[in-house]
């Protein structure tokens, strides 16, 4: 009996040594932009998170448009519902499409092992925004087709009913506004989307807007995000107070993201903290519910520096070329075309990644109100991610804010200060071990 | 009886011994084939077993000694560091308290399954129908169950509506507080797995010969006596197996809380925590070590249990 077990384990170990021997051999390859569009050929596979656009044929329409310029390139799409988890596993092989979105899990320093470079930052940053998010050693490895800015989506009609016409300028004013909504209307003043979890992670993008600081990411890497008056603390405290004062939905544990869209359009929900990307979805929901899509408003975080609001513009998923791709030129052509000419940014009412493009219509109120849009310096972005993982704080994960909401509504014992103190402690300790 | 055959053989052989040669041993090749044949039949299942069970486990054990993040081509051997971290961080073990809820629930679950199995093993009207009803939840996919019960526990959802039919109006968020969320989730798990226990018990009870009941009835035993002295001892091995499965199941609860609450509001279990370590914080090495530790804990619990309740041979007669 024992001998047999040993045999099985030995066989397993043998297999194991065969399995783990993967390695990134080709390093730092380049995906050059093709000179003559008519000559590029090959079939490329594009991985995407937009299941909806692949299913309703929108992506195929983009591809057809693309083929007018690049007739010999065939584009295939593969939409993944659970993108991060699935791509992560596939990236242990060489077969992860020709064009893909850079998953959050990949360490920035590993980019050259997985992706082909799109050019130097010096040259690309003249034309494109967000280049420093994917720059390693001066070379850029990805480009986001759209930029997003965080903000509160709100139902204008409900806010008006409650008698509030101006955007609140401080967290305290914001709370007063929500209280007015609670007492004067039937709407839920603020909806957390606690059950889905990820909408809570949007609160991390408060970072930068509070103090209008383009160096906010560097501060995360070098300072304590939950120190007194730090951006994340201000944002998290506001979330806590909203829930604590009973201004959020009664039972967060059973919230429903898809349902929250039509409910907001109908005025059953007054406010949600999300991003510009959500506007188009909520407007669609309003149309479907037979409501006026123009009632969906968008406002910045209630904080001002020198009398102006600030909003951080950040890239969505960055598209990159697989370093193992056999058709790098075609893949590069797709990324360039999709970013510059597809109109994907306009279709999604998003901020264009092109430096000289005008702001989308939805941000008109921002322009009118003089909201300052800032690009964060992402030089320390990789460091922040490392600290985040090491400390298990999870500023890009929903758990700690779910705990915060639980503390605020009294479902879990503890106080906000304890929670912040614990996060600070873990964060600063991780800083030391990662900082080397 | 036993001694007749050899004698007969000797007698038969006595006359023929010098004529017929002693059957020669099979040639070497044939012997080799005979030795190999069972293994040939086993190639397919063994290959599957090794590829899909032992190789991943070996892989996982190997990863548990590294700092691998799950994707990076580089991984460093860190020795027992991950294990040291697991055993020095008490917050990693605090989640086992949640298993207590599921452990308590499995007591309820086994008792209910035993009760229904006993009743339905006797002649009851619509017996097959009830068997189907009780087993049905086990056939539904766990993900679907998670979603169904999310609506069930929603504010003003199915549970609240049913309660209001009986004039009970609650204003209770079922998944709202830690205790009530865990009790609700454990309730879902009872609903789902009772069918399996029930079928196991029913099978065991039906393997008890029917004459025993008749004899017992002639001796004046009532239903309780029959249960106490015939059924309970008769299904003891299955009962102890079920207890082992429930304990290991309670320690490794995953899908129902993961789908319904994602581990929020104090419903995080050890497996959810491991999944978060691996996929949220990219600590695949540490998560592998946590998985190994859970495996060892379950093996240890099972071993202790087998020691306390040895697997006796059932002998009803």
């Amino acid at each position: 009996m024992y001998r047999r077990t040993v045999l099985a384990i030995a066989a397993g170990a043998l297999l194991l040594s065969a399995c783990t021997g993967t390695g990134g051999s080709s390093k730092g390859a380049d995906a050059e932009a093709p000179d003559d569009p008519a000559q590029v050929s090959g079939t490329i596979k594009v991985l995407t998170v937009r299941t909806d656009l692949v299913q309703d044929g929108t992506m195929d329409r983009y591809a057809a448009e693309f083929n007018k310029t690049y007739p010999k390139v065939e584009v295939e799409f593969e939409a993944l519902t659970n993108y991060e988890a699935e791509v992560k596993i596939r990236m242990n092989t060489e077969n992860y499409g020709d064009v893909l979105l850079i998953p959050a899990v990949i360490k920035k320093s590993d980019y050259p092992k997985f992706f082909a470079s799109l050019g130097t930052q010096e040259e690309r940053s003249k034309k494109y925004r967000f280049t420093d998010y994917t720059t390693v050693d001066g070379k850029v490895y990805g480009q986001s087709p759209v930029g997003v800015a965080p903000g509160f989506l709100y139902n204008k009609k409900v806010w008006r009913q409650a008698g509030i016409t101006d955007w609140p300028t401080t967290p305290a004013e914001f709370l007063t506004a929500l209280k007015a909504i609670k007492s004067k209307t039937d709407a839920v003043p603020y909806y957390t989307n606690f059950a889905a979890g990820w909408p809570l992670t949007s609160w991390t993008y408060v970072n930068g807007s509070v103090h209008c600081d383009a160096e906010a990411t560097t501060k995360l890497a070098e300072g304590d995000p939950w120190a007194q008056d730090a951006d994340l603390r201000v944002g998290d405290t506001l979330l806590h107070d909203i829930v604590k004062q009973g201004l959020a939905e009664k039972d967060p544990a059973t919230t429903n993201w898809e349902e929250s869209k039509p409910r907001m359009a109908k005025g059953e929900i007054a406010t949600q903290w999300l991003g510009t990307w959500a506007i188009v979805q909520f407007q669609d929901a309003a149309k479907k519910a037979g409501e006026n899509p123009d009632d969906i408003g968008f406002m910045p975080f209630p904080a001002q520096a020198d009398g102006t609001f600030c909003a951080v513009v950040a890239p969505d998923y960055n598209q990159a070329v697989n370093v193992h791709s056999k058709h790098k030129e075609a893949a590069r052509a797709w990324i360039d075309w999709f970013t510059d000419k597809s109109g994907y940014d306009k279709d999604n009412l998003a901020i264009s990644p092109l430096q000289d493009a005008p702001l989308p219509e939805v941000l008109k109120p921002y322009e009118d109100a003089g909201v300052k849009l800032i690009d964060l310096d992402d030089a320390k972005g990789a460091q922040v991610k490392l600290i985040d993982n090491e400390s298990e704080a999870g500023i890009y994960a929903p758990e700690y804010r779910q705990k915060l909401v639980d503390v605020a509504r009294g479902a879990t014992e503890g106080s906000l200060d304890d929670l912040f103190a614990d996060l600070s402690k873990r964060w600063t300790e991780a800083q030391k071990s990662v900082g080397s | 009886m036993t001694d007749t055959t050899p004698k007969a053989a000797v007698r038969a052989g006595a006359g023929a011994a010098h004529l017929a040669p002693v059957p020669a041993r099979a040639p070497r090749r044939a012997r080799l084939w005979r030795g190999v044949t069972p293994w040939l039949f086993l190639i397919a299942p063994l290959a599957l077993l090794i590829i899909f069970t032992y190789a991943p486990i070996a892989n996982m054990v190997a990863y548990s000694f590294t700092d691998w993040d799950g994707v990076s081509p580089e991984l460093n051997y860190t020795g027992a560091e991950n294990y040291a971290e697991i055993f020095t961080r008490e917050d990693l073990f605090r989640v086992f308290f949640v298993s207590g809820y599921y452990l308590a629930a499995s007591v309820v679950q086994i008792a209910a399954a035993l009760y229904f199995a006993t009743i339905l093993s006797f002649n009851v009207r619509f017996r097959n129908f009830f068997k189907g009803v009780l087993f049905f939840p086990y056939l539904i996919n766990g993900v679907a169950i998670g979603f169904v019960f999310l609506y069930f526990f929603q504010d003003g959802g199915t549970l609240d509506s049913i309660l209001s039919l009986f004039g009970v109006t609650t204003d209770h968020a079922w998944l709202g507080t830690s205790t009530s969320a865990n009790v609700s989730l454990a309730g879902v798990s009872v609903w789902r797995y009772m069918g399996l226990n029930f079928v196991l018990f029913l099978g065991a009870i039906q393997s008890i010969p029917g004459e025993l009941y008749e004899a017992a009835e002639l001796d004046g035993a009532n239903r309780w006596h029959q249960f106490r002295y015939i059924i309970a001892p008769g299904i003891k091995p299955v009962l102890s197996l079920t207890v082992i499965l429930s304990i290991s199941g309670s320690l490794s609860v995953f899908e129902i809380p993961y789908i319904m609450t994602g581990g929020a509001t104090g419903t995080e279990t050890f497996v959810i925590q491991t999944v978060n370590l691996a996929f949220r914080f990219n600590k695949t090495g540490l998560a592998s070590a946590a998985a190994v530790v859970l495996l060892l804990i379950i093996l240890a619990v099972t071993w202790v249990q087998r020691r306390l309740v040895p697997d006796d041979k059932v002998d009803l007669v």
Side-chain angles (χ1 to χ4, degrees):
Chain A
M1 185 66 201
Y2 275 114
R3 216 187 311 152
R4 261 179 247 163
T5 328
V6 171
L7 198 78
I9 291 173
L14 210 71
L15 269 167
L16 163 77
S17 54
C19 289
T20 42
T22 54
S25 48
S26 44
K27 261 189 178 179
D30 292 326
E32 307 269 359
D35 297 324
D36 181 7
Q39 292 307 312
V40 205
S41 66
T43 306
I44 55 169
K45 180 171 267 180
V46 177
L47 305 188
T48 171
V49 283
R50 295 302 298 265
T51 345
D52 52 336
L53 297 189
V54 171
Q55 265 164 15
D56 69 9
T58 312
M59 284 315 247
D60 285 333
R61 280 200 291 282
Y62 285 132
E65 199 61 36
F66 172 72
N67 281 137
K68 285 182 187 160
T69 327
Y70 299 90
K72 288 187 185 162
V73 181
E74 200 179 317
V75 188
E76 287 172 2
F77 297 99
E78 192 176 336
L80 304 173
T81 28
N82 192 358
Y83 188 81
E84 285 282 335
E86 285 174 42
V87 163
K88 176 179 169 181
I89 291 158
R90 277 170 71 166
M91 290 186 74
N92 283 302
T93 70
E94 294 188 0
N95 177 20
Y96 44 94
D98 297 286
V99 175
L100 71 159
L101 312 171
I102 300 182
V105 40
I106 308 288
K107 273 195 215 113
K108 212 167 169 183
S109 53
D110 282 340
Y111 283 3
K113 290 176 195 142
F114 290 109
F115 311 114
S117 155
L118 304 177
T120 63
Q121 192 193 14
E122 206 182 335
E123 151 213 338
R124 282 189 71 86
S125 60
K126 282 176 205 148
K127 187 171 174 193
Y128 298 104
R129 305 171 88 143
F130 318 130
T131 48
D132 58 341
Y133 283 85
T134 56
T135 301
V136 182
D137 294 334
K139 282 187 170 180
V140 179
Y141 289 89
Q143 178 63 53
S144 172
V146 290
V148 288
F152 282 106
L153 271 89
Y154 68 105
N155 187 311
K156 288 182 193 163
K157 223 165 42 182
V158 176
W159 276 63
R160 233 180 291 130
Q161 266 174 32
I164 302 141
T165 44
D166 290 335
W167 290 342
T169 55
T170 62
E173 267 181 48
F174 189 80
L175 286 169
T176 321
L178 291 189
K179 264 182 226 154
I181 291 168
K182 193 181 182 184
S183 60
K184 289 182 197 161
T185 71
D186 295 331
V188 175
Y190 183 83
Y191 198 72
T192 60
N193 258 315
F194 178 93
W198 57 263
L200 288 171
T201 59
S202 317
W203 282 91
T204 294
Y205 303 102
V206 163
N207 195 41
S209 333
V210 179
H211 291 105
C212 212
D213 184 1
E215 297 297 315
T217 310
T218 317
K219 280 201 180 139
L220 285 186
E222 287 162 3
D224 172 5
W226 296 278
Q228 213 55 251
D229 205 38
D231 284 19
L232 279 190
R233 190 181 180 116
V234 173
D236 288 345
T237 309
L238 176 59
L239 174 63
H240 172 267
D241 291 348
I242 290 173
V243 178
K244 177 138 202 181
Q245 300 182 10
L247 302 170
E249 70 276 11
K250 195 176 86 194
D251 182 12
T254 53
T255 52
N256 185 328
W257 160 247
E258 286 301 332
E259 221 174 77
S260 78
K261 297 187 230 172
R263 283 186 66 195
M264 176 124 143
K266 286 180 206 151
E268 291 169 27
I269 292 169
T271 329
Q272 289 197 56
W273 173 256
L274 293 162
T276 40
W277 57 267
I279 301 174
V280 71
Q281 295 191 26
F282 278 75
Q283 289 185 342
D284 280 349
K287 275 176 220 154
K288 270 183 209 145
E291 303 281 331
N292 182 6
D294 290 337
D295 281 342
I296 303 291
F298 196 65
M299 73 168 99
F301 188 81
Q304 288 188 326
D306 301 328
T308 43
F309 287 107
C310 280
V312 169
V313 181
D316 194 38
Y317 267 122
N318 290 291
Q319 276 198 313
V321 176
N322 180 348
V323 75
H324 305 290
S325 165
K326 291 193 179 65
H327 305 288
K328 289 201 186 71
E329 278 205 334
R332 170 69 192 265
W334 169 258
I335 291 185
D336 284 353
W337 181 85
F338 196 68
T339 315
D340 299 358
K341 308 214 175 81
S342 68
Y344 177 75
D345 53 328
K346 288 178 201 75
D347 296 346
N348 288 284
L349 310 177
I351 297 159
S352 168
L354 297 171
Q355 294 280 20
D356 51 3
L359 279 181
E361 188 69 8
V362 282
L363 286 181
K364 189 88 185 8
Y366 268 36
E367 269 187 309
D368 295 345
V371 177
K372 197 169 143 199
L373 295 179
I374 50 172
D375 276 355
L376 289 188
D377 169 14
D378 196 59
K380 293 275 180 178
Q383 180 89 352
V384 171
K385 263 197 222 160
L386 282 181
I387 298 170
D388 189 41
N389 286 337
E390 180 59 34
S391 65
E392 289 169 29
I395 59 172
Y396 301 109
E399 277 81 13
Y400 100 75
R401 291 210 177 81
Q402 284 184 328
K403 210 171 157 199
L404 181 114
V405 170
D406 278 344
V407 166
R409 67 199 173 98
T412 310
E413 283 170 35
S415 74
L416 183 66
D417 287 332
D418 293 345
L419 192 69
F420 284 152
D422 176 51
L423 285 166
S424 297
K425 189 173 143 243
R426 274 156 49 190
W427 191 269
T428 37
E429 268 169 20
Q431 261 169 350
K432 277 176 221 145
S433 64
V434 168
S436 52
Chain B
M1 273 305 269
T2 41
D3 54 350
T4 50
T5 345
K7 268 185 205 158
V10 170
R11 243 180 278 128
H18 53 280
L19 294 175
V22 179
R25 297 182 69 193
R28 241 177 93 82
R29 271 203 35 226
R31 256 186 297 140
L32 190 72
W33 268 113
R34 206 175 299 154
V36 167
T37 316
W39 291 98
L40 286 179
F41 282 104
L42 282 173
I43 281 182
L46 273 183
L48 290 175
L49 187 71
I50 289 172
I51 294 173
F52 292 109
T53 307
Y54 290 105
I57 290 180
N59 237 332
M60 182 179 80
V61 173
Y63 289 141
S64 74
F65 292 103
T66 68
D67 64 352
W68 196 42
D69 68 356
V71 276
S72 175
E74 281 161 21
L75 66 170
N76 304 311
Y77 176 78
T78 56
E81 213 173 87
N82 287 329
Y83 290 94
E85 186 175 344
I86 286 177
F87 287 110
T88 48
R89 276 176 56 180
E90 51 124 16
D91 59 312
L92 291 180
F93 280 94
R94 210 176 295 149
V95 288
F96 274 121
F97 282 114
V98 174
S99 298
Y101 288 97
Y102 293 91
L103 217 50
S106 56
V107 173
V108 176
Q109 180 180 324
I110 290 174
L114 203 53
Y115 176 74
F116 287 122
T118 310
I119 290 184
L120 292 182
S121 65
F122 294 114
N123 244 334
V124 185
R125 201 173 295 179
F126 301 124
R127 165 174 156 188
N128 284 327
F129 171 73
F130 284 118
K131 276 186 205 166
V133 167
L134 286 170
F135 187 60
F136 175 67
Y138 185 68
L139 299 174
I140 309 177
N141 182 296
V143 180
I145 291 180
F147 282 115
V148 166
F149 274 91
L150 266 184
Y151 286 100
F152 183 80
F153 288 120
Q154 213 165 32
D155 181 29
T158 320
L159 184 55
D160 285 345
S161 319
I162 292 175
L163 286 178
S164 69
L165 283 183
F166 294 98
V168 186
T169 44
T170 56
D171 194 30
H172 187 77
W174 295 101
L175 301 177
T177 64
S178 167
T179 312
S180 120
N182 275 316
V183 170
S184 305
L185 293 178
V188 175
S189 136
V190 169
W191 183 83
R192 177 165 187 215
Y193 288 105
M194 197 192 73
L196 178 68
N197 291 353
F198 164 75
V199 166
L200 287 177
F201 290 147
L202 195 71
I205 291 175
Q206 285 181 343
S207 70
I208 297 171
E211 306 91 68
L212 284 179
Y213 300 118
E214 280 171 35
E217 252 165 57
L218 286 179
D219 287 344
N222 62 19
R223 285 289 195 230
W224 165 248
H225 289 138
Q226 287 178 21
F227 175 78
R228 173 74 186 77
Y229 296 105
I230 300 176
I231 295 178
I235 62 167
K236 205 176 140 202
V238 175
L239 199 59
S240 80
L241 173 78
T242 311
V243 171
I244 290 178
L245 288 179
S246 321
I247 293 181
S248 64
S250 305
L251 292 175
S252 53
V253 186
F254 174 63
E255 54 186 20
I256 288 174
Y258 191 72
I259 292 159
M260 290 183 60
T261 64
T265 326
T267 55
E268 192 176 59
T269 64
F270 194 76
V271 183
I272 294 183
Q273 177 179 273
T274 308
V275 166
N276 278 347
L277 281 178
F279 297 102
R280 222 30 125 216
F281 305 116
N282 304 323
K283 294 185 176 176
T284 306
L286 184 63
S288 300
V292 171
V293 168
L294 180 64
L295 179 70
L296 294 179
I297 289 175
I298 287 176
L299 287 179
V301 167
T302 313
W303 181 77
V304 168
Q305 209 173 349
R306 299 301 278 176
R307 273 295 150 96
L308 293 177
V309 189
D311 195 3
D312 295 333
K313 227 180 121 41
V314 182
D315 197 5
L316 287 171
V317 196

